[in-house]
Amino acid sequence: IKMVVQALSKKGRKKWYTITASANFNEKPLGETLSYEPEKLIGRVVSVNLSNLTGNLKAQNIQVSFKVKEIKDNYAVTELIGYEMSQSYVKRVVRTGRDRVDLSFAGMTKDKVKVIVKPFLLTKFNTHRSVKSALKEKCKAFFDKYLSETEYHTFISQLISNKINQDMREVLSKVYPLGNVEVRAMKRVLD
């Protein structure tokens, strides 16, 4: 028992740290955590429902992930590393008589941040394979151009505000009428 008391007295007392969202969300508090050493918090990942951060009920099907990158005073500052739509929502919007097109692209933003983007397209009617191939090619070209011209923080802002989905729909609807055009998932590739 004496050794345990000595070990605890060396560590000191645990302190509370407030985990804050990235600047895209005005550094809103995500929660609090206890830790002896603030350095142990760096690298910790926290997931939150997007509607809790934005107040937009339409975003309740989306989960965002933040990774703690630094400690300032008693605040754990994070950056957004993931965005994912719930599987139950995707299953709910897919209907018979329509074709679902899932894609996955690796790309790099203008400020050299590697990301994996997974768009989800839903046609209004059943289509031929050639139409789906054309949609995939056009979607890949859209993201190659978009990512090369956009910095990561701008990309995140436009992803959260659904501007990317609107721009993607505008480009892809010229190929074939689409019902849903959304980014199903986005992940930042960490080195």
Side-chain angles (χ1 to χ4, degrees), residues 115-128:
V115 292
I116 295 172
V117 181
K118 297 182 180 183
F120 161 71
L121 312 174
L122 193 63
T123 63
K124 286 190 176 179
F125 313 101
N126 281 338
T127 59
H128 294 286

Side-chain angles (χ1 to χ4, degrees), residues 2-178:
K2 188 176 181 182
M3 289 176 60
V4 171
V5 172
Q6 285 177 335
L8 284 173
S9 64
K10 283 183 186 176
K11 280 187 176 180
R13 297 187 67 156
K14 282 186 176 183
K15 283 178 67 180
W16 282 101
Y17 294 92
T18 302
I19 301 171
T20 60
S22 60
N24 299 80
F25 300 99
N26 299 324
E27 297 176 352
K28 269 190 171 178
L30 299 174
E32 293 183 328
T33 187
L34 275 170
S35 182
Y36 286 114
E37 301 166 28
E39 299 80 37
K40 299 264 185 188
L41 295 175
I42 294 174
R44 188 176 287 186
V45 177
V46 178
S47 293
V48 181
N49 189 300
L50 184 58
S51 67
N52 293 344
L53 291 173
T54 60
N56 180 1
L57 286 176
K58 290 181 180 178
Q60 67 186 354
N61 302 309
I62 299 165
Q63 201 74 5
V64 285
S65 302
F66 296 91
K67 184 176 182 180
V68 177
K69 65 176 183 178
E70 64 180 325
I71 306 297
K72 287 184 181 173
D73 300 324
N74 284 354
Y75 292 93
V77 182
T78 63
E79 61 185 345
L80 192 134
I81 60 163
Y83 171 100
E84 189 166 5
M85 197 176 285
S86 71
Q87 288 298 317
S88 59
Y89 171 74
V90 174
K91 285 180 182 175
R92 204 167 43 247
V93 296
V94 175
R95 303 256 188 260
T96 54
R98 298 176 172 193
D99 283 333
R100 174 181 172 171
V101 182
D102 284 307
L103 303 123
S104 181
F105 308 117
M108 192 174 290
T109 60
K110 187 177 180 181
D111 52 346
K112 305 289 184 231
V113 176
K114 293 179 188 173
V115 292
I116 295 172
V117 181
K118 297 182 180 183
F120 161 71
L121 312 174
L122 193 63
T123 63
K124 286 190 176 179
F125 313 101
N126 281 338
T127 59
H128 294 286
R129 193 180 314 161
S130 60
V131 172
K132 288 188 241 176
S133 296
L135 283 170
K136 287 178 182 180
E137 285 176 31
K138 195 82 166 174
C139 192
K140 175 144 179 49
F142 169 81
F143 273 104
D144 287 344
K145 183 177 188 294
Y146 177 81
L147 289 172
S148 66
E149 296 172 351
T150 312
E151 291 186 355
Y152 184 69
H153 67 90
T154 307
F155 169 58
I156 294 302
S157 294
Q158 293 183 351
L159 179 64
I160 284 143
S161 68
N162 282 332
K163 182 165 179 3
I164 292 175
N165 296 344
Q166 293 164 0
D167 293 348
M168 196 169 36
R169 176 187 292 278
E170 201 173 291
V171 170
L172 297 177
S173 288
K174 293 173 185 170
V175 177
Y176 195 82
L178 294 168

